């Protein structure tokens, strides 16, 4: 492959060279998804990680170009931008405790990205997730199909894992759907959680279901408690890469993502976790499920929580 061919590959920028950003870059490279630019405010960090990753290419068999930088000019003309910049949680903190500091970081990152890329697809990972995507949308002015957040793929992966552990069955047969905000009031849907097409409502007792649902809601905090110095990064990184794979390879996978609602599920002007179809232009469509009264009540509670956090973002934007 000559350098001209290398330049025609998709350009993916990863903002933040910390735990999540590094994992995203590594998995993007291993999956040969495009050339990768890693940017961070810390000098040397993105350059060092980029060089280390590039040097693994001949061993892992990928030839994507990996660049590390502190200069947003190097992010010019990105096709996809993943924003992981910001603080992770400490034990005892909720995601919402990060809003003030991370909102300012996400605002400044988005402004600088948009100076150099006209029409990227932005995927936000920084927490509190739903409010941070809301900030990025308000600042970028991107159309709603080109800006989304990563949460539902991760929360569903956690539910899938806990179901397989509870039933002592293979992970690969388990599928799951988690809607709502990326917080304690997220809405795992047992009716739409299956093992080889069979709903867990037929395979598990109510007590078992409650156990896996509760562990899913607290899945992020469980990892924070164990790590003590940071939050999860391997499953979050893998979740982002599944989304990018569906976008860049135009797979139209139906995945739970944080999308901008304009009346779907009865809510508007908020970002919220819903099933979407992901194609080369971003979100092709939002899937509206028929929910039961109790599922809808849980969804409304989660949306109210998200809306309250977004009010803090509005206040920062107005200041
Ligand atoms: N521009 C670019 N990078 C920044 C900026 C900024 N303005 N501010 C902070 N960063 C960088 C930090 O220098 C650090 O390298 O963001 C990186 C964050 O990395 P970690 O501290 O390792 O955090 P990580 O575990 O990757 O989590 C990042 O994702 O899942 C969420 O809650 C998590 O909000 C957190 C984010």
């Amino acid at each position: 492959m000559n350098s001209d061919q290398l330049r025609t590959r998709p350009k993916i920028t990863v903002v933040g060279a910390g735990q999540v950003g590094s994992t995203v870059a590594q998995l993007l490279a291993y999956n040969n998804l495009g050339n990768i630019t890693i940017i961070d405010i810390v000098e040397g960090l993105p350059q060092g990680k980029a060089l280390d990753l590039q040097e693994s290419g001949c061993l892992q068999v990928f030839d994507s170009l990996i660049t590390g930088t502190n200069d947003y000019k190097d992010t010019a003309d990105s096709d996809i931008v993943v924003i992981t910049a910001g603080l992770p949680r400490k034990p005892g903190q909720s995601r919402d405790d990060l809003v003030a500091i991370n909102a300012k970081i996400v605002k400044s990152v988005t402004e600088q990205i948009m100076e150099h890329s006209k029409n990227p697809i932005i995927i936000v990972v920084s927490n509190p997730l739903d409010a941070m995507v809301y900030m990025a949308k308000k600042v970028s002015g991107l159309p709603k199909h080109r800006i989304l957040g990563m949460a539902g793929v991760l929360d569903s992966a956690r539910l899938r894992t806990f179901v397989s552990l509870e039933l002592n069955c293979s992970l690969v047969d388990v599928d799951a759907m988690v809607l709502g905000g990326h917080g304690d009031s997220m809405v795992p849907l047992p009716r739409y959680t299956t093992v080889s097409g069979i709903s867990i409502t037929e395979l598990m007792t109510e007590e078992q279901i409650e156990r896996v649902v509760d562990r899913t809601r607290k899945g992020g905090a469980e990892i924070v408690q164990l790590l003590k110095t940071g939050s999860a990064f391997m499953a979050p990184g893998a979740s982002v890469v599944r989304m990018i794979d569906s976008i860049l390879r135009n797979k139209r996978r139906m995945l739970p993502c944080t999308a901008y609602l304009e009346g779907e599920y009865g809510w508007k002007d908020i970002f919220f976790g819903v099933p979407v179809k992901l194609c080369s232009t971003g979100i092709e469509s939002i899937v509206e499920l028929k929910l039961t009264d109790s599922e809808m009540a849980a969804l409304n509670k989660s949306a109210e929580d998200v809306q309250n956090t977004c009010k803090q973002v509005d206040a920062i934007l107005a200041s």
Side-chain angles (χ1 to χ4, degrees):
M1 178 149 314
N2 64 37
S3 58
D4 281 347
Q5 284 170 310
L6 286 172
R7 269 195 289 274
T8 62
R9 292 181 183 185
K11 176 168 177 175
I12 309 161
T13 288
V14 180
V15 187
Q19 299 274 56
V20 178
S22 307
T23 309
V24 169
Q26 187 176 21
L27 295 176
L28 287 171
Y30 287 7
N31 283 276
N32 270 302
L33 280 164
N35 293 332
I36 302 158
T37 302
I38 311 171
I39 184 162
D40 200 287
I41 39 167
V42 178
E43 283 181 25
L45 181 70
Q47 292 86 347
K49 296 228 170 149
L51 182 59
D52 193 18
L53 181 56
Q54 188 78 81
E55 288 167 358
S56 73
C58 50
L59 307 168
Q60 285 292 333
V61 195
F62 66 82
D63 53 10
S64 311
L65 293 177
I66 322 286
T67 310
T69 184
N70 308 111
D71 185 344
Y72 277 86
K73 279 191 200 128
D74 296 323
T75 70
D77 302 321
S78 295
D79 297 293
I80 299 196
V81 176
V82 183
I83 300 181
T84 77
L87 296 191
R89 280 195 276 176
K90 295 195 180 82
Q93 276 189 318
S94 80
R95 293 182 182 93
D96 284 356
D97 291 333
L98 304 171
V99 68
I101 181 140
N102 283 356
K104 287 186 188 131
I105 292 175
V106 170
K107 179 172 183 283
S108 129
V109 164
T110 309
E111 285 164 352
Q112 294 178 85
I113 284 293
M114 294 308 295
E115 256 178 54
H116 300 282
S117 297
K118 280 195 208 75
N119 199 24
I121 292 175
I122 295 185
I123 301 176
V124 180
V125 185
S126 312
N127 275 312
L129 193 269
D130 312 87
M132 294 306 100
V133 207
Y134 179 82
M135 169 63 96
K137 164 112 175 76
K138 298 278 162 186
V139 174
S140 68
L142 280 169
K144 62 178 185 173
H145 63 281
R146 296 188 80 80
I147 180 147
L148 63 161
M150 186 293 292
V153 176
L154 170 63
D155 296 326
S156 304
R158 287 183 173 144
L159 178 54
R160 291 163 70 181
T161 307
F162 302 145
V163 166
S164 85
L165 292 173
E166 189 75 33
L167 289 176
N168 193 24
C169 71
S170 167
L171 262 175
V172 296
D173 293 327
V174 185
D175 222 328
M177 183 53 64
V178 178
L179 305 184
H182 189 47
D184 295 346
S185 58
M186 69 178 73
V187 188
L189 291 178
R191 278 196 312 133
Y192 292 109
T193 298
T194 59
V195 184
S196 291
I198 307 163
S199 169
I200 60 165
T201 53
E202 294 196 31
L203 298 170
M204 292 165 82
T205 63
E206 278 184 25
E207 198 180 74
Q208 282 179 304
I209 291 175
E210 193 43 47
R211 194 159 46 230
V212 293
V213 162
D214 188 55
R215 195 169 174 195
T216 301
R217 288 208 179 101
K218 297 176 184 154
E222 185 177 358
I223 306 261
V224 171
Q225 281 299 336
L226 290 166
L227 294 181
K228 295 183 182 68
T229 55
S231 52
F233 54 97
M234 291 190 221
S239 303
V240 172
V241 173
R242 284 285 69 78
M243 290 163 66
I244 294 178
D245 174 63
S246 185
I247 294 169
L248 289 177
R249 295 185 171 142
N250 201 23
K251 288 187 173 171
R252 294 195 161 77
R253 289 197 62 181
M254 200 183 287
L255 299 170
C257 297
T258 304
Y260 189 68
L261 300 190
E262 284 182 316
E264 297 90 349
Y265 292 92
W267 287 87
K268 53 184 175 194
D269 197 30
I270 61 167
F271 273 89
F272 204 52
V274 289
V276 306
K277 234 196 284 170
L278 279 185
C279 68
S280 59
T281 51
I283 294 179
E284 189 185 68
S285 56
I286 291 177
V287 180
E288 280 200 79
L289 300 171
K290 277 194 189 140
L291 299 179
T292 64
D293 288 349
S294 67
E295 288 164 347
M296 202 58 224
L299 207 73
N300 286 337
K301 162 78 179 71
S302 183
E304 280 161 21
D305 290 350
V306 169
Q307 213 174 33
N308 285 336
T309 320
C310 288
K311 281 187 190 147
Q312 295 182 57
V313 170
D314 284 331
I316 291 168
L317 282 168
S319 65

